Amino acid sequence: MDVKRRAFLRLAGTGICALPLNISGLVYASQEAAAKVQKKLITLQPEQAYWFSQSPPTDLWAMGQNVLRLQQHIPAEITVRNRLPDASSVHWHGMRVPNDMDGASGLTQQAIDPGQAFTYRFTPPDAGTYWAHSHHNTYEQLARGLCQPLVVEESTPYPADHDHLLVLDDWRLNSTGQLDLESLGSMHEWSHGGRMGNLLTVNREITPRLPVEAGSRTRLRILNTANSRIMALELNGLQCWIIAKDGQPLTKPLKTNESLTIAPAERYDLTVDIPTDWQGEQPIHETGSRTRLAGAFWQIIPGSKQRTERQSPQPLPANPVPVPGEGKPDHHAQLLMTGGAMGGLRSAIYRNTPMSAQKLSVNKQAWAFNGVANLPDKPLLSARTGATVEIEIVNDTRWPHGMHLHGHHFQLRGSDRYEPGMLHDTALMERNENLTIRFKAGLPGKWLLHCHMIEHQAAGMVTWIEVTA
Ligand SMILES: [Cu+2]
């Protein structure tokens, strides 16, 4: 039997698809380009993945290309055509875009109907690693594959020999190798850890190879696009520095040689130095669950050898993200998370109606923020652009959550997991952990704050803040 087939039947599939890029091949913004508009076309459409040589291809939904590349500070017009049977919308995760371009269907725009198109217009203010994904029936559309990495290129090339993407995803397949669509919407999963797949891919491939020279330095952009699985990568034997989190550069690269935990929707940019004595193929292991899987392989280019002595990498150029200072915030709110399995949620308000846990379950709700399941009519808080906001998030549940704030980057207080001063658009909190996010209110509009274990969002873990001019 084909090796890949066997791996799948063990339900321990692993794959990584890599999008190798030589840095010299990148195109950077020029003076002439500054006056131009970067026009892109994204087609939401069915796609097939050829993962198993002895099975028919797997039917997915896709956004028509492997990676979307934009240039910082240059206006973009991205037309999204919907050639799917269902309505959809596109959210530019981590990008500071005007509110009506944020893609949150039902809050900032109407979903794009089948056969229709919508043009998103914004100028990327920040370089870095982001992603675009459906924000309509997200639990289903993300499980079907409706997302893609988004790279906003710095106007000055970052010095590295290679620039590789590692887009981690897991897929729930049935015994015929097709997406297991019957299990979508399982309340058991929605009230526990969310939907977990049984096949790991990287860049939508199974164990891809990342070509590098021995002794070379690679910029590695890591994204977790899974619905709910917390991933972890082993970086043993490598000299690594974190140079950006969620697209935002660290002021000083942070050396790390431990396993890197990446919650759904989080991103890390690393520089990785390949040892000079490596040859052949070296695995990159994913260790987020009980199984240790080789997700991808470094493929050492035969006979190659680059520099042997490496300095610490230089930081990426800073983005113009407003950073909250110290001192008393202009606004403070508390967000109490309750519910989920073993959480003892007895009642909550859903669509302005108090409901028992049983009635909530009938409405596919299992979690609450401040006693309200799903999107409330009123915002958690209202702040003027430029005001400093603090939200204290109290995780009174038995489950980890990955909290995402649209349109902003925040700093964290009270978390041992992250380096102080890092900026995030998504942050992981463990069970019974509290943390405080702190940020400057950005562009006017309605900005979602939700759990990015996307089944948790669907089952209640979502609210919003209002920013006024
Ligand atoms: Cu959650």
Side-chain angles (χ1 to χ4, degrees):
M1 189 187 289
D2 173 71
V3 171
K4 289 178 180 173
R5 177 74 176 158
R6 268 189 278 130
F8 165 66
L9 289 175
R10 285 205 324 266
L11 296 183
T14 170
I16 279 187
C17 56
L19 301 171
L21 259 190
N22 270 317
I23 200 85
S24 57
L26 295 177
V27 179
Y28 289 95
S30 63
Q31 292 287 339
E32 306 86 72
K36 293 180 183 168
V37 172
Q38 38 188 344
K39 294 193 176 184
K40 305 282 180 180
L41 177 64
I42 291 176
T43 305
L44 312 181
Q45 61 191 358
E47 189 180 82
Q48 294 184 314
Y50 293 81
W51 285 326
F52 311 110
S53 58
Q54 294 178 4
S55 298
T58 307
D59 293 319
L60 311 176
W61 286 359
M63 298 179 69
Q65 52 196 313
N66 290 330
V67 56
L68 176 62
R69 290 185 179 273
L70 297 175
Q71 293 174 9
Q72 187 182 15
H73 301 316
I74 298 189
E77 277 186 21
I78 307 169
T79 297
V80 175
R81 291 188 303 193
N82 185 357
R83 295 202 170 153
L84 295 170
D86 292 352
S88 191
S89 65
V90 176
H91 170 55
W92 316 95
H93 187 116
M95 303 277 291
R96 295 186 294 130
V97 302
N99 190 245
D100 57 355
M101 298 290 118
D102 192 47
S105 83
L107 186 72
T108 65
Q109 75 166 99
Q110 282 200 321
I112 311 163
D113 281 328
Q116 300 299 305
F118 183 88
T119 299
Y120 293 88
R121 292 183 174 85
F122 56 84
T123 301
D126 305 323
T129 304
Y130 304 92
W131 62 306
H133 64 79
S134 159
H135 215 296
H136 181 77
N137 288 341
T138 319
Y139 74 92
E140 175 182 348
Q141 297 195 356
L142 201 54
R144 287 177 177 269
L146 212 51
C147 66
Q148 67 177 175
L150 195 175
V151 170
V152 180
E153 291 162 354
E154 292 88 20
S155 44
T156 306
Y158 185 75
D161 304 310
H162 302 277
D163 188 335
H164 285 294
L165 271 167
L166 277 182
V167 183
L168 306 164
D169 206 346
D170 68 342
W171 307 82
R172 175 84 65 84
L173 303 186
N174 62 25
S175 59
T176 67
Q178 294 300 314
L179 290 181
D180 177 7
L181 301 176
E182 289 177 11
S183 62
L184 281 167
S186 151
M187 272 316 281
H188 180 83
E189 292 174 351
W190 286 26
S191 61
H192 287 69
R195 180 182 177 86
M196 302 292 164
N198 49 25
L199 176 75
L200 173 67
T201 63
V202 173
N203 302 347
R204 301 209 171 179
E205 292 180 19
I206 294 176
T207 52
R209 271 57 179 169
L210 311 184
V212 288
E213 294 90 6
S216 64
R217 171 167 285 176
T218 293
R219 177 174 180 171
L220 190 63
R221 304 169 187 265
I222 305 166
L223 300 75
N224 180 354
T225 62
N227 276 39
S228 282
R229 184 184 292 277
I230 301 168
M231 306 274 192
L233 284 187
E234 258 183 24
L235 303 169
N236 300 1
L238 294 166
Q239 293 235 57
C240 296
W241 284 264
I242 299 171
I243 55 172
K245 167 78 203 306
D246 293 348
Q248 301 305 335
L250 273 62
T251 50
K252 188 174 174 212
L254 179 65
K255 193 165 187 182
T256 179
N257 53 13
E258 296 174 355
S259 161
L260 188 69
T261 299
I262 312 135
E266 284 192 302
R267 289 93 61 213
Y268 281 94
D269 282 38
L270 307 181
T271 60
V272 176
D273 287 348
I274 303 296
T276 52
D277 58 352
W278 272 18
Q279 49 189 323
E281 293 186 336
Q282 302 284 343
I284 303 172
H285 285 110
E286 197 284 313
T287 59
S289 35
R290 289 181 207 118
T291 320
R292 182 170 177 263
L293 300 168
F297 287 86
W298 299 107
Q299 183 177 50
I300 310 302
I301 299 166
S304 66
K305 192 166 184 180
Q306 293 212 347
R307 284 165 283 178
T308 54
E309 288 299 318
R310 288 283 183 182
Q311 306 284 330
S312 295
Q314 66 187 58
L316 285 159
N319 284 324
V321 176
V323 177
E326 298 298 324
K328 193 167 181 289
D330 301 305
H331 301 271
H332 179 93
Q334 192 185 66
L335 186 69
L336 176 64
M337 302 168 148
T338 52
M342 299 169 283
L345 182 70
R346 293 193 179 162
S347 64
I349 293 168
Y350 176 62
R351 295 189 174 164
N352 294 317
T353 308
M355 291 188 187
S356 65
Q358 189 185 11
K359 193 140 185 235
L360 287 168
S361 182
V362 170
N363 285 282
K364 299 191 76 66
Q365 299 300 298
W367 308 85
F369 283 170
N370 292 348
V372 179
N374 228 293
L375 203 63
D377 289 344
K378 290 187 179 163
L380 176 69
L381 60 86
S382 180
R384 280 180 185 267
T385 295
T388 298
V389 179
E390 255 187 21
I391 302 175
E392 182 188 358
I393 306 176
V394 178
N395 181 6
D396 189 18
T397 79
R398 303 295 179 90
W399 300 91
H401 303 288
M403 289 297 288
H404 171 46
L405 176 61
H406 283 220
H408 295 76
H409 278 77
F410 53 82
Q411 292 182 333
L412 287 174
R413 304 277 192 278
S415 174
D416 297 333
R417 177 184 310 285
Y418 299 102
E419 190 72 3
M422 265 185 180
L423 289 163
H424 311 259
D425 57 54
T426 310
L428 179 62
M429 359 181 8
E430 286 296 347
R431 63 185 73 178
N432 297 320
E433 184 181 359
N434 301 347
L435 55 82
T436 298
I437 68 172
R438 188 177 165 99
F439 56 94
K440 281 212 176 252
L443 293 171
K446 298 175 175 181
W447 300 104
L448 287 177
L449 173 61
H450 65 87
C451 182
H452 222 289
M453 274 98 171
I454 220 69
E455 288 73 30
H456 292 177
Q457 180 202 352
M461 300 193 95
V462 55
T463 187
W464 60 288
I465 65 164
E466 180 181 57
V467 178
T468 56

